[in-house]
Amino acid sequence: MDGDGLPGASDATGAAAAALEPFELPSECWMVVLSELPVREVCMMGRANRELRGLAGSAPLWASQYSRLFGQPPSPRLGGGAAVRRMCRRSEIRAARWLEADVTQQTVGFPDTACLQLDERKVVSGDGCAVRVWSHEAGKRYRRIATLQGHASHVACVAYDDNVVLSGDAGGMLRVWGMDDLKPARTVRAAHDGPGGVAGVGLLSGIPVSVGGDGCVRLWDVASGAAIMALEAPRSAAVAGLDVAPDTGRIATCGDGVHVWDAGVGGGGG
């Protein structure tokens, strides 16, 4: 007799061996399963056996993962599937510390807060007609340092650097505050007179920059309160926001499209 000499032992042994074999599916079905898994699980599945390792390394699978992560197909310049796979794995590793972190939340500020900026130690926010400065050092609760009053309309935007705090409101007023003493350094009452007033502010190497509904980008001299430069948006459309790149001297604005300005020459590109 086979097995241990008992009737039916051979059949039982064969059934047990079959149960240990990988569950067989057509390759197309495995590809559907793999395409629904996160990057980490795809890599783990590829360690199961030779067949899955081949499927988990296929270029179409990683092109699908790339599209899911980045919202567009991979560029042909990336080359083969190995480069795309590396980018997907790096993206998920970077995201893991946020997704798996023990996130804590503190509710501070006021319900009508409309804008803010933060760094590793403080937050500057705008609500109603006030600008507020908060401390949020690690391990400590948020603490309000100061409330800056003086705007006549709702504060729409704020920005700051090591020297000044800049704020603009819906009525077109632009205010500059000293960072050290948090006192007013300059007020421009009609920085922008279009609808929406001052829509965005920034600091370009210490120079205040503002945009607004009048379609202009203005750079300001803090000492005199006068505009150093005025750049008119293409098609004279209202400008809704901006960002600055101090390292390059460029200003990016949005509204009727996105335009990039080189503050050194006063030119803009769409």
Side-chain angles (χ1 to χ4, degrees):
M1 293 205 176
D2 296 331
D4 56 2
L6 297 177
S10 177
D11 294 340
T13 303
L20 295 174
E21 290 294 324
F23 186 64
E24 294 185 3
L25 286 175
S27 296
E28 294 80 4
C29 295
W30 275 120
M31 288 297 289
V32 172
V33 172
L34 292 171
S35 66
E36 296 295 324
L37 295 177
V39 171
R40 181 184 299 178
E41 278 71 12
V42 171
C43 296
M44 293 177 65
M45 289 287 287
R47 300 173 185 172
N49 59 45
R50 182 178 301 175
E51 180 183 358
L52 285 176
R53 182 162 58 248
L55 294 175
S58 67
L61 173 65
W62 288 103
S64 173
Q65 289 281 352
Y66 186 99
S67 298
R68 180 177 60 82
L69 288 171
F70 298 100
Q72 60 184 8
S75 169
R77 292 178 297 178
L78 291 175
V84 175
R85 182 169 67 251
R86 282 195 299 271
M87 290 197 66
C88 292
R89 293 179 67 180
R90 288 173 183 171
S91 174
E92 187 160 280
I93 289 171
R94 290 171 181 167
R97 64 173 183 158
W98 299 100
L99 298 176
E100 298 173 4
D102 183 14
V103 179
T104 61
Q105 175 183 328
Q106 292 186 43
T107 301
V108 298
F110 295 81
D112 58 346
T113 299
C115 53
L116 58 81
Q117 181 180 326
L118 82 161
D119 60 22
E120 65 276 7
R121 298 185 61 186
K122 60 184 174 296
V123 178
V124 176
S125 64
D127 64 90
C129 298
V131 176
R132 306 183 197 271
V133 183
W134 309 81
S135 169
H136 72 106
E137 294 184 46
K140 299 181 180 179
R141 293 186 61 82
Y142 278 76
R143 180 173 60 89
R144 185 168 49 179
I145 299 173
T147 298
L148 313 180
Q149 301 283 1
H151 280 282
S153 299
H154 280 283
V155 176
C157 45
V158 295
Y160 66 87
D161 62 12
D162 292 338
N163 299 311
V164 300
V165 176
L166 188 62
S167 57
D169 68 31
M173 180 184 291
L174 179 71
R175 302 208 75 178
V176 183
W177 319 78
M179 180 61 81
D180 290 336
D181 57 11
L182 296 175
K183 293 182 179 180
R186 179 60 58 187
T187 299
V188 181
R189 298 192 178 279
H192 295 274
D193 57 8
V198 182
V201 292
L203 287 152
L204 185 64
S205 300
I207 300 174
V209 184
S210 65
V211 298
D214 56 3
C216 284
V217 182
R218 292 191 173 93
L219 285 71
W220 300 91
D221 175 38
V222 175
S224 66
I228 302 172
M229 184 183 298
L231 310 172
E232 188 173 344
R235 296 179 289 277
S236 299
V239 183
L242 89 159
D243 200 359
V244 298
D247 293 341
T248 62
R250 290 179 177 172
I251 303 167
T253 65
C254 63
D256 184 15
V258 176
H259 307 286
V260 180
W261 307 83
D262 187 333
V265 298

